[in-house]
Structure formats: structure tokens, C-alpha cells
Amino acid sequence: QYAYTVNAGDQSNRGMEVALSLDARPASVDGQGLFTTLRPFINYTFADYTYTDFRSDNNNNAATVNYSGRDVVGVPRHVLAAGFDAAVQNGGYVSVSYEHRGDMPITYDNVHKAPGYGVLNARLGMARNVGRHLAVDAYVGGTNLTGSRYYTMVFLNPSYAGASPAIYLPGPYQARYIGGVKLGWRR
């Protein structure tokens, strides 16, 4: 079953994004300091996207629904990403990131929403040169380390006519662990 709507109106997209990162390469007099790289970052987005003079159709009759003033579907109001990358003299490194997405409306009337979530990912490794030509990078890591319920895709629905449809294409609900070795050859 398919349904369609006619975009009879407009929307106002206001908001702000703030990003802050620091690429610190700690230096020491003898070059033997612990960290070679320390890179923290944070990014926050506030999206005030609302419909203005937006209706279900252009008929302007009793069946026409006015969605003006409602939040735009498919856009979470708050998104936060933060983390850091660090590397030490012996080739060891770590990368940690966290992403939070707020609730997101999935229907024009904003009655139904995809829930917000937070996902923590991390990677720990060792990268070294072996001789003049071989580079080795061995690592372990994990995604969704907090076991959050999150989605990789959401189907946006202008109306619910009956039972709630399956709207999420979910990511793994449990932590997933990875590991590997990468070899490189240089001339």
C-alpha cells in the first residue's frame, strides 16, 4: 500500500552548528614525550526546522490538514558528536567517539517519533614500521559499546492508517567487536 502527499507549502530551516577540535602535537626538547598526537573534537548541531504554511494538499477543504508550526520530519533537533584520537611514541594509538541523536519526528503531525540514541565506538592499535619497507598496523575495537538501540535508516511516513509500520533499519543492538592486521609495503 502506498500513500502520497502534495507538498503544499514551505518550511523554515534555522539552526546552528558548532564544531571545536584541537590538533595538539605535544613536543618535547628531546623528542621523547609520551604523546605524538592528541586530537579531541566536539560537534553540536541544533536544527529548528519547521513547516510554514504547509498543508496535506492544496484543496483547502475540510479534509486538508495544516502542518504549519510542526517540526520537519526526518530531522532530529539535537545532534552531538564528540571524541578524541591519541597516538604515543611507540606507535600505539586509540580513537574514541560518541554520537547522540535526539528524538526525530517521522510523521507530519509529529505524533510519531524515532527515539533518540547514543552510540559509543572505540579502537585501540599499534602501528609500526618493520625495517625500511614494511608497515604493520594491528588493532582491536568495538562499535555500539553501550548496547544502544539505534537505527541506520528510518522510513518517514506522513500518516499511520492502521498498525504502526516497521520503520527502522536497525544497527546492531549489542556491541560488535573487530580486530585486524594491516600490512603496507613501501619502496
Side-chain angles (χ1 to χ4, degrees), residues 63-178:
T64 301
V65 180
N66 187 348
Y67 298 114
S68 298
R70 304 287 183 175
D71 290 340
V72 172
V73 298
V75 181
R77 191 167 281 265
H78 304 278
V79 177
L80 172 73
F84 68 92
D85 299 312
V88 293
Q89 286 288 343
N90 69 358
Y93 64 89
V94 64
S95 178
V96 177
S97 65
Y98 177 77
E99 178 185 2
H100 170 78
R101 289 185 175 267
D103 292 349
M104 179 177 69
I106 59 172
T107 56
Y108 292 136
D109 60 8
N110 294 174
V111 171
H112 302 281
K113 296 185 180 207
Y117 65 83
V119 175
L120 178 66
N121 302 316
R123 185 172 176 163
L124 177 67
M126 175 69 74
R128 304 281 307 246
N129 292 326
V130 179
R132 290 180 23 188
H133 303 289
L134 182 63
V136 178
D137 181 358
Y139 60 88
V140 294
T143 60
N144 194 16
L145 294 173
T146 55
S148 296
R149 179 178 180 216
Y150 72 103
Y151 48 83
T152 58
M153 184 172 160
V154 176
F155 299 95
L156 306 176
N157 300 288
S159 66
Y160 279 63
S164 296
I167 60 169
Y168 304 105
L169 186 59
Y173 294 151
Q174 299 172 351
R176 299 286 187 223
Y177 300 98
I178 59 170

